[in-house]
Amino acid sequence: LLIFNHSAKGYVLRGQGQYLPPGTTQAKLLEAQSHIRNARSELQELEARLWSEPRKLDLTAHALKRYMREESFTDWLDTLPFPLASILWTYHTAGDDQKRRYEHLMHFFEALAQFMATILLSTIERDESLFAKEKEKLVPTLREQRLTIERATFGTWKCIFEQLAKTVRSMYALPDTRSSIEQLVRCHEESVIRMLTSSELVAVIQRCTGLRNTWIGHAGVVGDRQAAEWHRVLQDELSKVRDAFGTAWDSYNLVLPGKSVFSGGTYRYTLLRVMGRCAPFEQFEVRLAEPLEHGYLHLLGDDEQTALRLMPLVRVMPSPVSAENACYFYNRQQTDGVRFVSYHFEQEADIVNQFPDTLAAISALDGEHIKPTTEGS
């Protein structure tokens, strides 16, 4: 039996002398519990990598030093690809407005689904037969759930990611196809491939899709208490994303190609490291065995000579008006062009333009020919 104790400002279990703190304190306790769980998982990841990957000792030691310095949330953001980190930075700076904070987190999970789906689509696209086989399964599945690429939703990206993650994860587990997956992903780092196909990430995105559908159907105005509860639920899911990521992004950087020189059979590139919460991005030089396509995002693994070009469904580019670097995610095709939306750049939250390369990608995925529109935005 719970009895409210006014002196303690909380509920007490009769006969046990144990007080339950007020709701606001309980929320803080749950948040602290999530942080502890995250810290425990990160240490376990570092310990496992210490013995399983001794050649990565310097990288592991660096990650451990970062942890020993009590890495903050913002420190973690600076290890993530900019398309994800920028949204979480917007969330982090939203103040105490619980409604805005849970909305920003929900945007993050939708963007996460699209970003991960884009990486795996870009991976299998490099193998014509594998791409055709997966599309043959994917298109009917989307249609059964009344989902389309042409007007993509959270559910669309969830469906794509869960199917492709399962396929790539299964192929990577087989000795006969493991090396082919490494070649397609353009990375030989096991922790990276396991992160990209993580069943825990799939489960997080599945749960968040369900939460979004349930909450959209919520009747009435969302009050502070309800918003705080939803925020807490999404915080817990975010801690699971952090667990699933581990330190894999330290070995797999999102980059944009700059100037290049071909000499001695290799391409010497100046790249922008599109990582962290905000621009300007760090520049660095690298030698590659193959050229990169200008204007496209690529993923480059440590000590790799080739990079994975991402399909043009996620873009980092100057906005039309302010000319600042912003990230935009493909949203849908409409009569006046292709619409991209930004989840962090509120000054220009969407852009509509022709984007013929994106139209071609949509057509390839949808199995139908989509003609570019002739009207500008």
Side-chain angles (χ1 to χ4, degrees):
L1 177 63
L2 294 177
I3 302 174
F4 188 79
N5 185 295
H6 292 278
S7 62
K9 296 183 180 180
Y11 288 90
V12 61
L13 291 170
R14 173 181 281 178
Q16 298 185 26
Q18 297 178 354
Y19 290 92
L20 294 179
T24 54
T25 305
Q26 291 182 46
K28 291 179 180 178
L29 288 171
L30 291 170
E31 181 177 357
Q33 185 180 36
S34 293
H35 291 319
I36 292 171
R37 183 187 300 116
N38 181 73
R40 184 189 300 118
S41 297
E42 183 172 1
L43 284 173
Q44 290 173 343
E45 165 75 18
L46 290 174
E47 183 180 22
R49 195 170 73 179
L50 182 67
W51 295 105
S52 65
E53 303 178 55
R55 65 187 180 86
K56 292 283 187 178
L57 178 59
D58 290 342
L59 185 62
T60 304
H62 173 72
L64 182 59
K65 287 179 181 179
R66 191 175 63 213
Y67 175 80
M68 295 302 290
R69 291 198 303 268
E70 297 182 351
E71 180 187 33
S72 67
F73 182 74
T74 54
D75 290 331
W76 176 59
L77 297 190
D78 287 335
T79 70
L80 302 181
F82 175 70
L84 303 179
S86 57
I87 305 171
L88 289 177
W89 176 241
T90 303
Y91 154 75
H92 182 68
T93 57
D96 295 327
D97 188 331
Q98 295 296 313
K99 187 173 185 295
R100 287 194 68 202
R101 284 171 72 80
Y102 93 74
E103 287 175 344
H104 283 312
L105 273 187
M106 189 56 79
H107 286 154
F108 166 76
F109 288 111
E110 182 168 358
L112 174 66
Q114 184 168 353
F115 188 65
M116 301 305 291
T118 298
I119 294 174
L120 294 186
L121 282 169
S122 304
T123 297
I124 68 166
E125 182 193 29
R126 300 187 61 248
D127 184 318
E128 186 175 343
S129 62
L130 178 60
F131 185 68
K133 180 180 177 181
E134 289 304 305
K135 187 172 68 173
E136 187 177 349
K137 294 188 295 184
L138 183 61
V139 172
T141 300
L142 291 175
R143 288 174 180 166
E144 287 173 7
Q145 300 182 34
R146 298 183 180 180
L147 299 170
T148 67
I149 297 291
E150 188 176 342
R151 298 181 65 87
T153 64
F154 195 167
T156 303
W157 302 118
K158 184 268 295 184
C159 187
I160 294 173
F161 178 51
E162 63 186 4
Q163 176 181 308
L164 298 188
K166 181 179 179 181
T167 295
V168 176
R169 184 169 60 246
S170 299
M171 292 180 65
Y172 188 65
L174 298 174
D176 292 343
T177 50
R178 184 185 183 98
S179 61
S180 65
I181 290 299
E182 292 174 341
Q183 292 296 324
L184 292 177
V185 177
R186 303 288 195 164
C187 183
H188 293 76
E189 182 63 53
E190 182 177 354
S191 64
V192 169
I193 299 176
R194 294 199 181 282
M195 180 270 293
L196 295 178
T197 61
S198 168
S199 57
E200 182 55 43
L201 278 182
V202 171
V204 167
I205 289 170
Q206 288 172 338
R207 286 193 296 269
C208 289
T209 308
L211 289 172
R212 183 180 183 274
N213 293 339
T214 300
W215 293 348
I216 285 178
H218 179 79
V221 176
V222 178
D224 290 342
R225 180 176 296 181
Q226 182 69 79
E229 172 60 21
W230 290 354
H231 178 215
R232 186 197 64 75
V233 171
L234 293 183
Q235 275 186 314
D236 193 51
E237 295 297 335
L238 182 60
S239 73
K240 293 181 176 67
V241 171
R242 191 168 178 175
D243 293 346
F245 279 173
T247 57
W249 290 116
D250 289 340
S251 305
Y252 204 45
N253 282 188
L254 189 67
V255 299
L256 270 173
K259 295 180 180 179
S260 68
V261 175
F262 181 70
S263 176
T266 62
Y267 298 85
R268 188 175 66 196
Y269 269 95
T270 298
L271 301 180
L272 288 179
R273 195 188 310 273
V274 190
M275 304 289 288
R277 51 196 153 126
C278 54
F281 302 119
E282 174 192 0
Q283 291 189 13
F284 68 105
E285 290 191 356
V286 67
R287 289 185 178 272
L288 300 175
E290 295 180 359
L292 305 181
E293 192 163 351
H294 182 73
Y296 285 81
L297 290 168
H298 295 71
L299 283 164
L300 178 65
D302 287 351
D303 303 321
E304 298 290 345
Q305 296 297 305
T306 57
L308 175 66
R309 193 207 77 165
L310 296 188
M311 296 176 72
L313 302 173
V314 181
R315 295 178 181 269
V316 173
M317 59 186 178
S319 64
V321 176
S322 61
E324 296 179 19
N325 278 318
C327 183
Y328 290 89
F329 290 79
Y330 165 74
N331 179 252
R332 65 173 180 264
Q333 184 198 11
Q334 51 192 47
T335 56
D336 54 347
V338 177
R339 182 174 184 253
F340 277 75
V341 298
S342 175
Y343 295 118
H344 77 101
F345 196 63
E346 296 180 349
Q347 294 92 324
E348 295 172 68
D350 66 340
I351 290 178
V352 179
N353 214 320
Q354 296 308 299
F355 298 118
D357 55 349
T358 301
L359 281 171
I362 299 168
S363 178
L365 289 170
D366 210 26
E368 298 177 359
H369 180 67
I370 300 176
K371 295 182 179 179
T373 57
T374 55
E375 301 175 25
S377 60

